[in-house]
Amino acid sequence: MRVSRRAVIGGGAAALGAAGLGLAAVAEPMPEGALGGADLARGHRLRQGKFPPPSRTERVKLLIAGGGVAGLAAGWRLAEAGFTDFRLLELEDRVGGNARAGRNAVSAFPLGAHYLPVPNEEARALRHMLGQFGMVVGEENGRPVYDPFQLTAELEERLFWQGEWQEGLIPRTGVPAEDRRQIAAFEGEMARLRALKGGDGRPAFASPIAYSSRDPALRALDRQPFTAWLDAHGFTAPVLRAHLRYAMRDDYGCEPHHVSAWAGLHYFAGRRGYTARGSEDNQLTWPEGNGRLIRLMAARFADRIAGGRIVHRVTRTSGGMTGGGMTVDHFDVARGETVRTEAEAVILALPHFVAARLSEEIDDAGHSYAPWLVANVTVDRLPHGPGVPLAWDNVSSTSESLGYVVATHQSAGRDGPSVLTWYQPLSREDPAAARRRLLETPAKDWKRYVRDDLLAMNPELEGAIRRIDLWRWGHAMIRPVPDFLWGARPQPDPPLYLAHSDVSGLSLFEEAHYQGVRAAEAAMARLGHRFESLL
């Protein structure tokens, strides 16, 4: 069983201790560092809705609102198909959504998503794009060969367990016999589910999930919590449940009882990397994480991207070449004016709670989002510790955080300064309460918490932490709660299309990319542009 990686109580050392995290305060001075995140002022302005009337009108055949992974995937697909009469508007000054990246004098680093699992066979559009980007370098026996320098270097993962670091993220030593039995049984069940097909011949769990079986018996798993499924199958061992909690927080930002059984099982059974040379369980990663993919997609149509545009109203119009179009009002932050764009089709590549503010046709019911805190910690020297050597992904069994990844792990030489990207979903609290705490807790307290957590894992870093740059994600990812993934979520009629991982219900790169490509192809078909589908 292999895993990927991806509640804090704020307010100082005393409150952190009350949360049961067991972190001791450290006396050394607090490192410097910036506090960043989504542009709150622009987001609040959108919520308030007080914009001047349009001062001018522009026209374009197709407009994309939103420059996250889905919006960029839509733009990439349009450009790849030779469709040029489109434009992408983004609220932030930079595109990328939660796959954005930063850089300092030491290294580039992710601000959010930082890897892409080797795609499944069914992820045809994504594999096509990776080939365009030079990440697929050949083929053997009909399977793609990935550039080994863009796959995770050894050691991939390690876990701090019972006083030392061990390889992998599941404890293998000092584990009671019953826990070992249940871990083996769970691994066997996940192997069975990875190979299982529904009554319609489709994989029980696919990635993107649109290719998954529609078998009612399988989809019924979405209606119960993951913990209920685990209980029913006798998977109750503490060591196993602790690992499964890590997994659910890792990909979904949720506690296991907040996740549907279908989503919980998909984490382990939904990915079957399609590749040659035995790298099926590997992932593509870079110092800047998925920021590398963002940059390459955006470069394909950079002249059609406009940042600093707050889209605030989307309505339908009559007439036009296809019998009806769309009107989009957006505020140009730099110019301080509202611009109206008339388009024959619109792709809203936005989180659902944002899209619902723009159009009366979109219902926001049932969508909830997990908040996260990410910290990029610049260190003078790499951590080590007892046991196996430093890995790309480093997790402690005693920490409430998800540990850290090493930005320079892919480099040929791994000595000297580095950046450790540290992650924590605020999953214990109600999401709204966690968002308030995320925003209201002073940066110095968050930095203290991050520093103390790192030193608890790697005390040898004392005196080596130079910067702690914080990034707050209030709505980092959609939460796949029970009865959400396969529940009824109506989509608007063309020529308005939704494209976001929210449409899938899983906040994963593969889902956002699929939804962007799907919307782009649907729009091109409506507008009469010929293309060969990648789906």
Side-chain angles (χ1 to χ4, degrees), residues 126-196:
L126 180 54
R127 291 193 291 109
H128 177 86
M129 186 182 79
L130 295 177
Q132 283 192 339
F133 292 167
M135 296 170 185
V136 177
V137 295
E139 185 178 288
E140 289 183 2
N141 300 319
R143 289 175 171 261
V145 175
Y146 285 87
D147 179 1
F149 293 103
Q150 301 191 65
L151 295 170
T152 309
E154 293 290 342
L155 182 69
E156 293 180 34
E157 301 162 331
R158 68 174 184 168
L159 175 72
F160 191 70
W161 168 255
Q162 295 182 343
E164 67 176 18
W165 293 96
Q166 60 149 57
E167 184 173 359
L169 295 181
I170 304 174
R172 299 296 181 183
T173 60
V175 178
E178 176 59 17
D179 289 69
R180 292 198 304 272
R181 185 194 69 77
Q182 289 193 29
I183 289 170
F186 184 82
E187 290 174 334
E189 179 64 8
M190 295 307 102
R192 184 186 74 83
L193 292 177
R194 275 194 295 276
L196 180 66

Side-chain angles (χ1 to χ4, degrees), residues 251-272:
D251 252 22
Y252 307 141
C254 295
E255 298 294 323
H257 60 281
H258 293 148
V259 175
S260 86
W262 198 98
L265 296 171
H266 181 273
Y267 180 96
F268 298 100
R271 285 170 171 161
R272 300 171 302 281

Side-chain angles (χ1 to χ4, degrees), residues 157-388:
E157 301 162 331
R158 68 174 184 168
L159 175 72
F160 191 70
W161 168 255
Q162 295 182 343
E164 67 176 18
W165 293 96
Q166 60 149 57
E167 184 173 359
L169 295 181
I170 304 174
R172 299 296 181 183
T173 60
V175 178
E178 176 59 17
D179 289 69
R180 292 198 304 272
R181 185 194 69 77
Q182 289 193 29
I183 289 170
F186 184 82
E187 290 174 334
E189 179 64 8
M190 295 307 102
R192 184 186 74 83
L193 292 177
R194 275 194 295 276
L196 180 66
K197 294 187 183 296
D200 53 7
R202 292 178 169 225
F205 301 93
S207 183
I209 69 171
Y211 296 107
S212 299
S213 174
R214 291 167 170 76
D215 191 314
L218 290 167
R219 290 203 167 182
L221 292 166
D222 188 47
R223 294 197 291 270
Q224 63 175 305
F226 187 35
T227 47
W229 184 92
L230 294 169
D231 291 343
H233 288 75
F235 295 124
T236 58
V239 174
L240 173 62
R241 292 295 275 259
H243 174 69
L244 299 180
R245 178 179 183 247
Y246 163 83
M248 296 303 96
R249 298 173 75 230
D250 177 48
D251 252 22
Y252 307 141
C254 295
E255 298 294 323
H257 60 281
H258 293 148
V259 175
S260 86
W262 198 98
L265 296 171
H266 181 273
Y267 180 96
F268 298 100
R271 285 170 171 161
R272 300 171 302 281
Y274 184 66
T275 179
R277 301 184 180 178
S279 56
E280 293 87 354
D281 289 338
N282 211 324
Q283 52 269 319
L284 296 146
T285 191
W286 310 268
E288 68 271 41
N290 289 357
R292 176 74 60 91
L293 298 170
I294 291 302
R295 176 175 58 80
L296 292 171
M297 284 193 290
R300 187 67 176 82
F301 59 100
D303 58 333
R304 278 158 275 177
I305 296 174
R309 304 300 176 94
I310 307 175
V311 175
H312 56 270
R313 186 168 181 266
V314 177
T315 56
R316 292 183 184 268
T317 59
S318 59
M321 293 177 60
T322 58
M326 305 296 301
T327 296
V328 177
D329 291 343
H330 49 98
F331 184 73
D332 185 330
V333 175
R335 293 177 175 268
E337 66 172 351
T338 294
V339 179
R340 174 163 290 175
T341 297
E342 295 178 351
E344 294 184 27
V346 168
I347 295 174
L348 291 184
L350 300 164
H352 202 84
F353 78 97
V354 176
R357 292 187 178 277
L358 312 184
S359 170
E360 296 179 352
E361 301 178 35
I362 301 171
D363 182 7
D364 191 28
H367 292 71
S368 65
Y369 296 84
W372 285 64
L373 179 68
V374 178
N376 278 285
V377 183
T378 305
V379 293
D380 289 338
R381 58 181 180 269
L382 289 169
H384 294 288
V388 300

